[in-house]
Each structure stands twice: as structure tokens, then as C-alpha cells.
Amino acid sequence: LEVEKMSSEQGTEPPDDGKLPDSSGSGPLFYITPRIIAIPLPSSGVEGSFNNNIDLICDILKEKHPGRFMVWNLAERSYSTRKFDHRVHTGWCTIAENHVPPLYLLFKIMQSLYAWLQLDPDNVVVINGLAGVSRVGLIVSSLLIFCGMFKDAPAALEYFAEKRGFCVNVPSQLRYVRYVERVVVEEQEPVHSRDSLRLKGLHFKGIPNMVPPPQPSPAAALLAADGTSQDASGAAVVAGCRPEVLVYRLDATRDLVYGTGLTEIKYASHPAAADAAVCPVVPAVALFVAPTF
């Protein structure tokens, strides 16, 4: 992938607050920069009675940026593109809530945004998720690095949080902004360089010590005053939880690929001597990732 960066002459340096469009009357539009706008999911009906009303958003965009806006819908829900004069990218750029896209799709979205900004200096990009925070923050922060406005992920993420009022806090999304920094700024190879990875198991360190359910259970009946008990083999255990692992396909199907089958044991116990738990995945699950780009 050949990464072309915007130059400062194109007005992509982080703008001062005074350069941002007047926020009065902007309603649900959050100007991260004068040309990058974050919005919540445009809605109608009862849901649209709040400040993310689709007609309100359309009216503001058409008034402030007539013929110069393009919308990218990252959410898994759709809305009327006709109201936006069909200026909406949807479907191909969907990102599952609280997840990250494959790296190739992340860069494809950024290239699409960048191409629209390059067409005309008055063009603006409008990006929505559900609340306009986590997925939007991932894309916007990555775009700020991709365009050369910032050289490191923390600065880009902090800038987005300052302008949006909320920060990205999903660990995988934070990590993927760092991946963009590695590829764009440090010119390193993409982290996912193999066609597939095989998940053999998960090792959790620091299992939460949860109170057993109020219903009588063998584990609860054996609890001693110090909170410990014994299992069938006589080994000491403490009240806690047993992690459950579910692996889904991260595509439109969202099919369940594998599950550990521990759904019914939400308050199981774990060995008192160990501050960790091992969750084997048998048979091993092949996780397919994006090809090298």
C-alpha cells in the first residue's frame, strides 16, 4: 500500500478553535476539524426526537456544506440515504460495534475519505457510528495520522476526545490506531503478515472473585468462613467465575464459529492457589485475517 500524505499547504494542520465553523446551530454535528465531522446515527420516529434527528442533520449539512458533504455510515444499522441526496457510503464500510475492521478495510475507508477531501478544498467528510464515539473515533484518529496531521496515536486520540467530548476506550480500537501509526509514520510492515492465525487457548491473569448466586448450590454449601471451599476432589477453591469464550465471524453473517460451552456455569469456581485461569479452545480455531497489503 502506497501511503500518500497531505501537506500542510492543503490546510490539514490541526486547526485552532477559532478556525472551526461556528458551533451554534450545528446541533448533532461535531466538527473535529473544519472538514471532518462526527455525528451520531441519523434517526427518525421516536428515536429521532432527540438531537440526532435525520431531518435536522440533513438540513444543517445542506445549509452549511451544500453539495460538498459525503457521509460514511460505519454502523450496522441503515437509514434513508435519499434524505442525504444519496451522498452516503454504507454497507461496505460497516464496522461491528465495539470491534475493529480488518486492517485492509481500515485503510480502504481512510483512502475513501482522503480521496473525497482531495477532490475539492471545500469538501467535508461526515462519519457516523451509533453514538459517534468509538468506531468514529477509531476512523477519525486514524485519518488524522493518515493525512499527516499527527505523528503518533495518543496525540490523535486525545485531539479527537477533546473535540468530540468523549474518548475512545475500546482496547482493540486504541491498538489499531497505533497500527496505523506504525504503517504510516514508522513505515513498518503491517502487523498481520500471515494469511491465518490459529487460536490454541486463552490465558487469563487475575480472575475476579465474584459472589456465588443466591440460589443454593454445592459450591455455596461448602463455603467456609474464610470464603474458601472444596471441590469434589478435595482441592481448595474460592468463589469466582469461569470465563466463557465465544468466537464469531466478524462479517455480515456474525456466525458463531466456536464456543467453550460454559454459558450455564456463570458462577463456577476456580483453584484458590491460582490467580489465573486457562481456557483451552479445542479443537483449535483458525482465525482468518486480512491479507498483506
Side-chain angles (χ1 to χ4, degrees):
L1 171 67
E2 181 179 354
V3 178
E4 182 182 5
K5 302 176 184 177
M6 285 183 172
S7 63
S8 59
E9 288 77 17
Q10 293 173 295
T12 59
E13 67 278 0
D16 297 328
D17 288 342
K19 295 182 181 179
L20 288 173
D22 183 9
S23 60
S24 60
S26 294
L29 276 64
F30 296 88
Y31 283 85
I32 310 304
T33 78
R35 302 179 66 195
I36 302 176
I37 305 171
I39 62 173
L41 181 77
S43 303
S44 56
V46 175
E47 188 177 5
S49 61
F50 301 97
N51 71 338
N52 59 332
N53 181 272
I54 188 171
D55 294 318
L56 173 62
I57 293 175
C58 288
D59 290 344
I60 296 174
L61 286 175
K62 291 178 180 180
E63 177 186 353
K64 294 197 170 190
H65 309 284
R68 295 301 182 186
F69 69 87
M70 187 70 71
V71 184
W72 279 256
N73 177 20
L74 308 179
E76 298 164 292
R77 294 170 53 185
S78 60
Y79 48 82
S80 173
T81 62
R82 179 182 56 81
K83 292 180 179 290
F84 292 91
D85 299 330
H86 301 289
R87 293 173 169 270
V88 180
H89 288 274
T90 187
W92 69 267
C93 54
T94 298
I95 302 173
E97 186 176 5
N98 294 324
H99 286 74
V100 293
L103 273 178
Y104 80 90
L105 180 56
L106 175 58
F107 276 89
K108 182 179 179 181
I109 294 173
M110 288 191 296
Q111 287 176 319
S112 177
L113 293 161
Y114 177 72
W116 177 251
L117 291 173
Q118 286 283 80
L119 283 178
D120 191 283
D122 292 327
N123 282 355
V124 299
V125 296
V126 185
I127 310 169
N128 79 264
L130 190 60
V133 179
S134 60
R135 283 171 287 192
V136 174
L138 162 66
I139 295 300
V140 169
S141 300
S142 299
L143 180 63
L144 295 177
I145 297 174
F146 187 82
C147 293
M149 288 177 56
F150 289 95
K151 300 296 184 182
D152 62 274
L157 288 161
E158 182 179 357
Y159 182 78
F160 171 81
E162 176 186 347
K163 298 301 180 182
R164 178 60 183 87
F166 293 93
C167 64
V168 179
N169 55 22
V170 178
S172 59
Q173 294 175 344
L174 297 172
R175 187 171 66 251
Y176 267 58
V177 179
R178 170 58 178 152
Y179 290 163
V180 173
E181 175 194 333
R182 290 180 183 178
V183 174
V184 176
V185 179
E186 301 174 10
E187 299 183 353
Q188 296 183 12
E189 290 293 326
V191 291
H192 299 321
S193 59
R194 292 184 292 177
D195 292 336
S196 65
L197 300 175
R198 186 167 296 276
L199 178 64
K200 297 181 178 180
L202 300 175
H203 189 187
F204 297 87
K205 291 186 176 180
I207 302 300
N209 186 10
M210 302 172 64
V211 178
Q215 296 81 7
S217 66
L222 293 175
L223 280 176
D226 59 358
T228 63
S229 64
Q230 292 182 343
D231 59 15
S233 65
V237 296
V238 295
C241 67
R242 181 178 299 174
E244 176 184 6
V245 178
L246 300 176
V247 181
Y248 291 89
R249 288 185 61 85
L250 191 55
D251 58 17
T253 66
R254 300 300 298 275
D255 290 337
L256 177 63
V257 177
Y258 181 81
T260 53
L262 302 180
T263 306
E264 73 283 1
I265 315 179
K266 294 184 180 299
Y267 294 93
S269 25
H270 61 87
D275 188 28
V278 177
C279 227
V281 179
V282 182
V285 179
L287 298 183
F288 294 96
V289 297
T292 304
F293 53 83

